[in-house]
Amino acid sequence: MSMDMQLVELCRELIRRPSVSGEERAAAEFLRDTMEKLGYDQVEIDRYGSVLGRIHGKRPGPTVLMDGHIDTVPVEDPGAWRHDPFAAQIENGRIYGRGASDMKGSVASMVLAAARFAAGAGRDFAGTAAVSCSVHEECFEGISCRETADRVKPDFVIIGEATSTTLKIGQRGRAEVVVESKGVSCHSSNPDKGINAVYHMMALVEEIRKIVPPEHPMLGKGILELTDIHSWPYPGASVVPSLCRATFDRRTLAGETRESVLAPVWEAIARVKARLPELDARAYLARDSAPCWTGEAIEAVRFFPAWTLEEDHPLVQKALAGLRGAGIEAELSHFAFCTNGSSFCGERGIPTVGFGPSLESLAHVVDEYIEIAQLEDSCRGFQGILREVLR
């Protein structure tokens, strides 16, 4: 069977445009121009820099949004790559490059799939096929998509992250929990004159490690893992540290809230304070901001909720039927990582599934690649899902 050159070249052109989070302009403008050439009815770039295209059917019906992010993680060591990370080289049926799997291949598939579906149906379908090419997902899962949801008001969402062309019906969420201990600085030659914030943090970490996160029948175990510790002043230069801050990565489950995530940490702090009355500590969720390529700032509390969808939900059943119609027998599973679905389904309750090409394990790696066969399968699969949902 001959290679789908239109799809392959679209994927390669995206890879050739570096788009680290906050620097997606070249990829975004290229996608805007591509959608316009493909005959999308509406194409716009929002204030964060995400690209949104819509194709309307001749009959009223639901809006299906296919979402994929166009930002990538950086290439830390280009010399470690056997293939130029931005040359989009083809070798042994694979396209190599940063973002090939995460997730420019899927974005290319979705952009073409919507246009091909609409053209194949002669626009005689019920509803709207929309595609969002989102920015800043690697840093802020789902935050730029709040703007997308406000503009499109989708009835259903398909997250195009790598699934090896299985169908995902849930994901764990993510929270960054920060714990601070405050002490009193003094010269380290007279430590009794002060309070060492690091010693108090050591006691806090020991107690926090005893917390057992909940479990979920689909998503498995929640996770609470220490990821970094900093003390001030640094370097100490003969000064007892007056502040220590630790960050914990908390992988959350469906139904968990900001309050329920922080509550056991506060309880751990209280237990330590009962032993160490001089303890001065607090816990909170991290907040961060970053510039977008448009000049707008994106900002959020780092809490990205989990979500699930029941196997018998109409979207799940229609997606499975659409994939079967495209020759793909997809198994049901869930994402092991956090996605933009945190916004659409976790925050807003919009029915969401995940489907896309390539392996989850190929994200962020040296010599990242996507199998062309999976790229082609996903494009057919996206069209199949649209046919079923927009009948």
Coordinates of all heavy atoms in Angstrom, one line a residue, residues 194-240:
G194 N 19.3 29.6 67.0 CA 18.3 29.6 65.9 C 17.5 28.4 65.9 O 17.5 27.6 66.8
I195 N 16.7 28.3 64.8 CA 15.9 27.1 64.5 C 16.2 26.6 63.1 O 16.0 27.4 62.2 CB 14.4 27.3 64.7 CG1 14.1 27.7 66.2 CG2 13.6 26.1 64.3 CD1 12.6 28.2 66.4
N196 N 16.7 25.4 62.9 CA 17.1 25.0 61.6 C 15.9 24.4 60.9 O 15.3 23.4 61.2 CB 18.1 23.9 61.8 CG 18.8 23.5 60.4 OD1 18.2 23.4 59.4 ND2 20.1 23.4 60.5
A197 N 15.5 25.1 59.8 CA 14.3 24.8 59.0 C 14.4 23.4 58.3 O 13.4 22.7 58.1 CB 14.0 25.9 58.0
V198 N 15.6 23.0 58.0 CA 15.9 21.8 57.3 C 15.6 20.6 58.2 O 15.0 19.6 57.9 CB 17.3 21.7 56.7 CG1 17.6 20.3 56.2 CG2 17.5 22.7 55.6
Y199 N 16.0 20.7 59.5 CA 15.7 19.6 60.5 C 14.2 19.4 60.6 O 13.7 18.3 60.7 CB 16.3 19.9 61.8 CG 17.8 19.9 61.8 CD1 18.6 20.6 62.8 CD2 18.6 19.1 60.9 CE1 19.9 20.6 62.8 CE2 19.9 19.1 61.0 CZ 20.6 19.8 61.9 OH 22.0 19.8 61.9
H200 N 13.5 20.5 60.7 CA 12.0 20.4 60.7 C 11.5 19.8 59.5 O 10.5 19.0 59.5 CB 11.4 21.8 61.0 CG 11.5 22.2 62.4 ND1 11.0 23.4 62.9 CD2 12.1 21.6 63.5 CE1 11.2 23.5 64.2 NE2 11.9 22.4 64.6
M201 N 12.0 20.1 58.3 CA 11.6 19.5 57.1 C 11.8 18.0 57.1 O 11.0 17.3 56.5 CB 12.2 20.2 55.9 CG 11.8 19.7 54.5 SD 10.0 19.8 54.3 CE 9.8 21.6 54.0
M202 N 13.0 17.6 57.6 CA 13.3 16.2 57.7 C 12.2 15.4 58.4 O 11.7 14.4 58.0 CB 14.6 16.0 58.3 CG 15.8 16.4 57.4 SD 17.4 16.5 58.3 CE 17.7 14.8 58.7
A203 N 11.7 16.0 59.5 CA 10.7 15.4 60.3 C 9.4 15.4 59.5 O 8.6 14.4 59.6 CB 10.5 16.2 61.6
L204 N 9.1 16.5 58.8 CA 7.9 16.6 58.0 C 7.9 15.5 56.9 O 6.9 14.9 56.6 CB 7.7 18.0 57.4 CG 7.4 19.1 58.4 CD1 7.5 20.5 57.7 CD2 5.9 18.9 58.9
V205 N 9.0 15.4 56.2 CA 9.0 14.5 55.1 C 8.8 13.0 55.6 O 8.1 12.2 55.0 CB 10.4 14.6 54.3 CG1 10.6 13.4 53.4 CG2 10.5 15.9 53.6
E206 N 9.4 12.7 56.7 CA 9.3 11.4 57.3 C 7.8 11.1 57.6 O 7.3 10.0 57.3 CB 10.1 11.3 58.6 CG 10.0 9.9 59.2 CD 10.8 9.8 60.5 OE1 11.4 10.9 60.9 OE2 10.9 8.7 61.1
E207 N 7.1 12.1 58.1 CA 5.7 11.9 58.4 C 4.8 11.9 57.2 O 3.8 11.1 57.1 CB 5.2 13.0 59.4 CG 3.8 12.8 60.0 CD 3.8 11.6 60.9 OE1 4.9 11.3 61.5 OE2 2.8 11.0 61.1
I208 N 5.1 12.7 56.2 CA 4.3 12.8 55.0 C 4.4 11.5 54.2 O 3.5 11.1 53.5 CB 4.7 14.0 54.1 CG1 4.3 15.3 54.8 CG2 4.2 13.9 52.7 CD1 4.9 16.6 54.2
R209 N 5.6 10.9 54.3 CA 5.8 9.6 53.6 C 4.9 8.5 54.1 O 4.6 7.5 53.4 CB 7.2 9.1 53.7 CG 8.2 9.9 52.9 CD 9.6 9.3 52.8 NE 9.5 8.0 52.0 CZ 10.5 7.2 52.0 NH1 11.6 7.3 52.7 NH2 10.4 6.1 51.2
K210 N 4.3 8.7 55.3 CA 3.4 7.7 55.8 C 2.0 7.8 55.2 O 1.1 6.9 55.4 CB 3.3 7.9 57.3 CG 4.6 7.6 58.1 CD 4.4 7.9 59.5 CE 5.7 7.8 60.3 NZ 5.6 8.1 61.7
I211 N 1.7 8.9 54.5 CA 0.4 9.1 53.9 C 0.2 8.0 52.8 O 1.1 7.8 51.9 CB 0.3 10.5 53.3 CG1 0.3 11.5 54.3 CG2 -1.0 10.6 52.4 CD1 0.4 13.0 53.8
V212 N -1.0 7.4 52.8 CA -1.3 6.4 51.8 C -2.4 7.0 50.9 O -3.6 7.1 51.3 CB -1.8 5.0 52.4 CG1 -2.1 4.0 51.3 CG2 -0.7 4.5 53.3
P213 N -2.1 7.4 49.7 CA -3.1 7.9 48.8 C -4.2 6.9 48.5 O -3.9 5.7 48.6 CB -2.3 8.3 47.5 CG -0.9 8.4 48.0 CD -0.7 7.4 49.1
P214 N -5.4 7.3 48.0 CA -6.4 6.4 47.7 C -6.2 5.6 46.5 O -5.2 5.8 45.7 CB -7.7 7.3 47.6 CG -7.1 8.6 47.2 CD -5.8 8.7 47.9
E215 N -7.0 4.6 46.2 CA -7.0 3.8 45.0 C -8.3 3.9 44.2 O -9.3 4.3 44.8 CB -6.7 2.3 45.3 CG -5.4 2.1 45.9 CD -5.0 0.6 46.0 OE1 -5.5 -0.2 45.1 OE2 -4.4 0.2 47.0
H216 N -8.3 3.7 42.9 CA -9.4 3.7 42.1 C -9.5 2.5 41.3 O -8.5 2.0 40.8 CB -9.3 5.0 41.2 CG -10.5 5.2 40.3 ND1 -10.7 4.6 39.1 CD2 -11.6 6.1 40.5 CE1 -11.9 5.1 38.6 NE2 -12.4 5.9 39.4
P217 N -10.7 1.9 41.1 CA -10.8 0.6 40.3 C -10.3 0.7 38.9 O -9.8 -0.4 38.4 CB -12.3 0.3 40.4 CG -13.0 1.6 40.7 CD -12.0 2.4 41.6
M218 N -10.4 1.8 38.2 CA -9.8 1.9 36.9 C -8.4 2.5 36.9 O -7.5 1.9 36.2 CB -10.7 2.8 36.0 CG -10.2 2.9 34.6 SD -10.9 4.3 33.6 CE -12.6 3.8 33.6
L219 N -8.2 3.6 37.6 CA -7.0 4.3 37.5 C -5.8 3.8 38.4 O -4.7 4.2 38.2 CB -7.2 5.8 37.8 CG -8.3 6.5 36.9 CD1 -8.5 7.9 37.4 CD2 -7.9 6.4 35.5
G220 N -6.2 2.9 39.3 CA -5.1 2.3 40.2 C -4.8 3.2 41.4 O -5.7 3.9 41.9
K221 N -3.6 3.2 41.8 CA -3.2 3.9 43.0 C -2.8 5.3 42.7 O -2.2 5.7 41.7 CB -1.9 3.2 43.6 CG -2.2 1.8 44.1 CD -1.0 1.2 44.7 CE -1.3 -0.2 45.3 NZ -0.1 -0.8 45.9
G222 N -3.2 6.2 43.7 CA -2.7 7.6 43.7 C -1.2 7.5 44.1 O -0.7 6.6 44.7
I223 N -0.5 8.6 43.8 CA 0.9 8.7 44.1 C 1.2 10.0 44.8 O 0.7 11.0 44.5 CB 1.8 8.6 42.8 CG1 1.6 7.1 42.2 CG2 3.2 8.9 43.0 CD1 2.3 7.0 40.9
L224 N 2.1 9.9 45.8 CA 2.6 11.1 46.5 C 4.1 10.9 46.6 O 4.6 10.0 47.3 CB 2.0 11.3 47.9 CG 2.5 12.5 48.7 CD1 2.1 13.8 48.0 CD2 2.0 12.4 50.1
E225 N 4.9 11.7 45.8 CA 6.4 11.4 45.7 C 7.1 12.7 45.8 O 6.8 13.7 45.1 CB 6.7 10.8 44.3 CG 8.2 10.3 44.2 CD 8.5 9.2 45.1 OE1 7.6 8.5 45.7 OE2 9.7 9.0 45.3
L226 N 8.1 12.7 46.7 CA 9.0 13.9 46.9 C 9.8 14.1 45.6 O 10.4 13.2 45.1 CB 9.9 13.7 48.1 CG 10.9 14.8 48.3 CD1 10.3 16.1 48.8 CD2 11.9 14.3 49.4
T227 N 9.9 15.3 45.1 CA 10.6 15.6 43.8 C 11.8 16.6 44.0 O 12.7 16.6 43.3 CB 9.7 16.1 42.7 OG1 9.0 17.2 43.2 CG2 8.7 15.0 42.3
D228 N 11.7 17.5 45.0 CA 12.8 18.4 45.3 C 12.7 19.0 46.6 O 11.6 19.1 47.2 CB 12.9 19.5 44.2 CG 11.7 20.4 44.1 OD1 11.3 21.0 45.1 OD2 11.2 20.5 43.0
I229 N 13.9 19.5 47.1 CA 14.0 20.2 48.4 C 15.0 21.3 48.2 O 16.1 21.1 47.6 CB 14.5 19.3 49.6 CG1 13.4 18.2 49.9 CG2 14.7 20.2 50.8 CD1 13.8 17.3 51.1
H230 N 14.6 22.5 48.7 CA 15.5 23.7 48.6 C 15.5 24.3 50.0 O 14.5 24.4 50.7 CB 15.0 24.7 47.6 CG 15.0 24.2 46.2 ND1 16.1 24.4 45.3 CD2 14.0 23.6 45.5 CE1 15.8 23.8 44.2 NE2 14.6 23.3 44.2
S231 N 16.7 24.9 50.4 CA 16.8 25.6 51.6 C 17.4 27.0 51.3 O 18.1 27.2 50.3 CB 17.6 24.9 52.6 OG 19.0 24.8 52.2
W232 N 17.1 28.0 52.2 CA 17.5 29.3 52.1 C 18.1 29.8 53.5 O 17.6 29.4 54.5 CB 16.4 30.3 51.7 CG 16.0 30.1 50.3 CD1 16.4 30.8 49.2 CD2 15.0 29.2 49.8 NE1 15.8 30.4 48.1 CE2 14.9 29.4 48.4 CE3 14.2 28.2 50.4 CZ2 14.1 28.6 47.6 CZ3 13.4 27.5 49.6 CH2 13.3 27.7 48.2
P233 N 19.2 30.6 53.5 CA 19.9 31.0 52.3 C 20.7 29.9 51.7 O 21.1 28.9 52.4 CB 20.8 32.1 52.8 CG 21.0 31.8 54.2 CD 19.7 31.1 54.7
Y234 N 21.0 30.0 50.4 CA 21.9 29.0 49.8 C 22.8 29.7 48.8 O 22.4 30.5 48.0 CB 21.0 28.0 49.0 CG 21.9 26.9 48.3 CD1 22.2 25.8 49.0 CD2 22.3 27.1 47.0 CE1 23.0 24.8 48.4 CE2 23.1 26.1 46.4 CZ 23.5 25.0 47.1 OH 24.3 24.0 46.6
P235 N 24.1 29.4 48.9 CA 24.7 28.5 49.9 C 24.7 29.1 51.3 O 24.6 30.3 51.4 CB 26.2 28.3 49.4 CG 26.4 29.5 48.5 CD 25.1 29.9 47.9
G236 N 24.8 28.2 52.2 CA 24.5 28.6 53.6 C 25.6 29.5 54.2 O 25.3 30.5 54.9
A237 N 26.9 29.3 53.8 CA 28.0 30.2 54.2 C 27.9 30.5 55.7 O 27.8 31.6 56.2 CB 27.9 31.5 53.4
S238 N 27.9 29.4 56.5 CA 27.9 29.5 58.0 C 26.6 30.1 58.6 O 26.6 30.7 59.6 CB 29.1 30.3 58.5 OG 30.3 29.7 58.1
V239 N 25.5 29.9 57.8 CA 24.2 30.4 58.3 C 23.2 29.2 58.4 O 23.1 28.4 57.5 CB 23.6 31.4 57.3 CG1 22.2 31.9 57.8 CG2 24.5 32.6 57.2
V240 N 22.6 29.1 59.6 CA 21.5 28.1 59.8 C 20.3 28.5 58.9 O 19.9 29.6 58.9 CB 21.1 28.1 61.3 CG1 19.8 27.2 61.4 CG2 22.2 27.5 62.1

